[in-house]
């Protein structure tokens, strides 16, 4: 028995290190190393941010997340208005862009002829590749004047009885950030939703049509089958909106304020870090900014992991059909 075991080990080693398999063996281990290095890099980033924010964590603890005062002069730091601005701007942008994105995805996947689908798909993906600073400049010179002169006066006149549409029409504020974010996340949700819809087998459509369903009813059936993947695409767009920096910084007004009015300026976590990192002259100030980055890092990781899981489960489901 011992002789057979030794011979089996020799055969296995010979098979691994033979001239035919040595390249595959090295390639497999090398790619595994690359994959693990990405995971280790994420852990290292989280660890470094935790180490850099220890001073702030020890002083403020959990009150950092619920305190509303952000005062570098008195060295009192509370992230609640900043978290509020981040979540509200991203959520409202998602509400605006989601119907448009799903409509674009349905048209590209179910309605558009092949000669039109390809150029339109390219244009949608091209929007996702435009640098955010370009969106910011467009926001400053085009979007903000339009909001200040037309949109905010109209909303204030017609809907001023609501707290969401009260205040002076500055142009720069939460409303401008919401609109520019909705434009930026639209191509992401659209392209991923289109791919998810296309991953639904054609047999589903053929079965629905064979049973007498109209084209619109067939599309509804396909949407139901792809709902988890579309939800994943939505969460990815939400994650992009939360982490967006330059375009939002240029139009949101940059003021740590909790206000129900969309006309008032606001702040996001990414904007605070971008604006104030170079001004952090004290250790506590720098530590508070790094703690804010850690909060943003954790939120982004959770949202993107959940979204990827939904998209993966959708793709895996239809591969097994």
């Amino acid at each position: 028995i011992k002789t057979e075991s030794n011979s089996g080990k020799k055969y296995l080693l010979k098979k691994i290190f033979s001239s035919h398999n040595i390249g595959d063996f090295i390639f497999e281990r090398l790619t595994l190393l690359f994959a693990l290095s990405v995971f280790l890099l994420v852990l290292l980033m989280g660890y470094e941010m935790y180490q850099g924010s220890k001073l702030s964590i020890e002083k403020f603890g959990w009150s950092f997340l619920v305190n509303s005062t952000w005062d570098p002069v008195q060295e009192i730091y509370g992230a609640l208005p900043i978290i509020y601005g981040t979540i509200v701007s991203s959520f409202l942008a998602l509400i605006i862009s989601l119907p448009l994105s799903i409509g674009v995805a349905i048209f590209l996947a179910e309605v558009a002829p092949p000669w039109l689908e390809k150029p339109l798909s390219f244009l949608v993906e091209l929007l996702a590749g435009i640098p955010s600073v370009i969106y910011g400049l467009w926001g400053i010179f085009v979007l903000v004047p339009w909001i200040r002169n037309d949109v905010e006066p109209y909303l204030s006149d017609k809907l001023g009885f609501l707290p969401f549409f009260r205040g002076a029409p500055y142009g720069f504020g939460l409303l401008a950030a919401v609109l520019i974010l909705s434009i930026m996340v639209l191509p992401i949700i659209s392209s991923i939703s289109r791919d998810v819809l296309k991953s639904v087998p054609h047999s589903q459509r053929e079965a629905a049509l064979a049973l007498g369903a109209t084209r619109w009813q067939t599309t509804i059936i396909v949407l139901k089958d792809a709902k988890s993947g579309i939800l994943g695409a939505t969460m990815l767009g939400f994650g992009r909106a939360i982490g967006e920096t330059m375009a939002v910084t240029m139009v949101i007004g940059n003021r740590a304020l909790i206000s129900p009015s969309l006309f008032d300026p606001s702040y996001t976590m990414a904007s605070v870090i971008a604006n104030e990192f170079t001004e952090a002259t004290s250790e506590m100030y720098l530590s508070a900014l790094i703690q804010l980055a850690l909060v943003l890092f954790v939120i982004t990781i959770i949202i993107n992991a959940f979204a990827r899981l939904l998209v993966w489960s959708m793709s895996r489901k239809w591969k097994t059909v």
Side-chain angles (χ1 to χ4, degrees), residues 103-120:
V104 171
I106 291 173
F107 179 78
L108 293 176
E110 304 293 327
V111 180
W115 63 268
L116 184 60
E117 178 196 351
K118 291 183 178 180
L120 284 181

Side-chain angles (χ1 to χ4, degrees), residues 11-23 25:
Y11 173 76
L12 182 61
L13 290 172
K14 183 178 179 182
K15 185 177 180 181
I16 291 176
F17 292 103
S18 63
S19 59
H20 180 70
N21 292 320
I22 186 67
F25 178 80

Side-chain angles (χ1 to χ4, degrees), residues 118-193:
K118 291 183 178 180
L120 284 181
S121 300
F122 173 75
L123 289 176
V124 170
E125 293 173 359
L126 185 64
L127 283 175
I130 295 176
S132 61
V133 68
I134 304 299
Y135 283 107
L137 286 173
W138 176 81
I140 289 175
F141 293 109
V142 178
L143 183 63
V144 168
W146 176 62
I147 292 174
R148 180 176 57 242
N149 298 327
D150 299 320
V151 177
E152 288 183 344
Y154 177 82
L155 291 175
S156 179
D157 181 52
K158 301 297 182 182
L159 301 173
F161 58 91
L162 297 174
F164 310 112
F165 306 107
R166 294 176 184 172
Y170 295 120
F172 290 94
L174 190 59
L175 181 60
V178 167
L179 293 179
I180 205 165
L181 277 176
S182 64
I183 297 172
M184 296 182 71
V185 302
L186 187 147
I188 297 173
I189 302 175
S190 298
S191 25
I192 299 176
S193 298

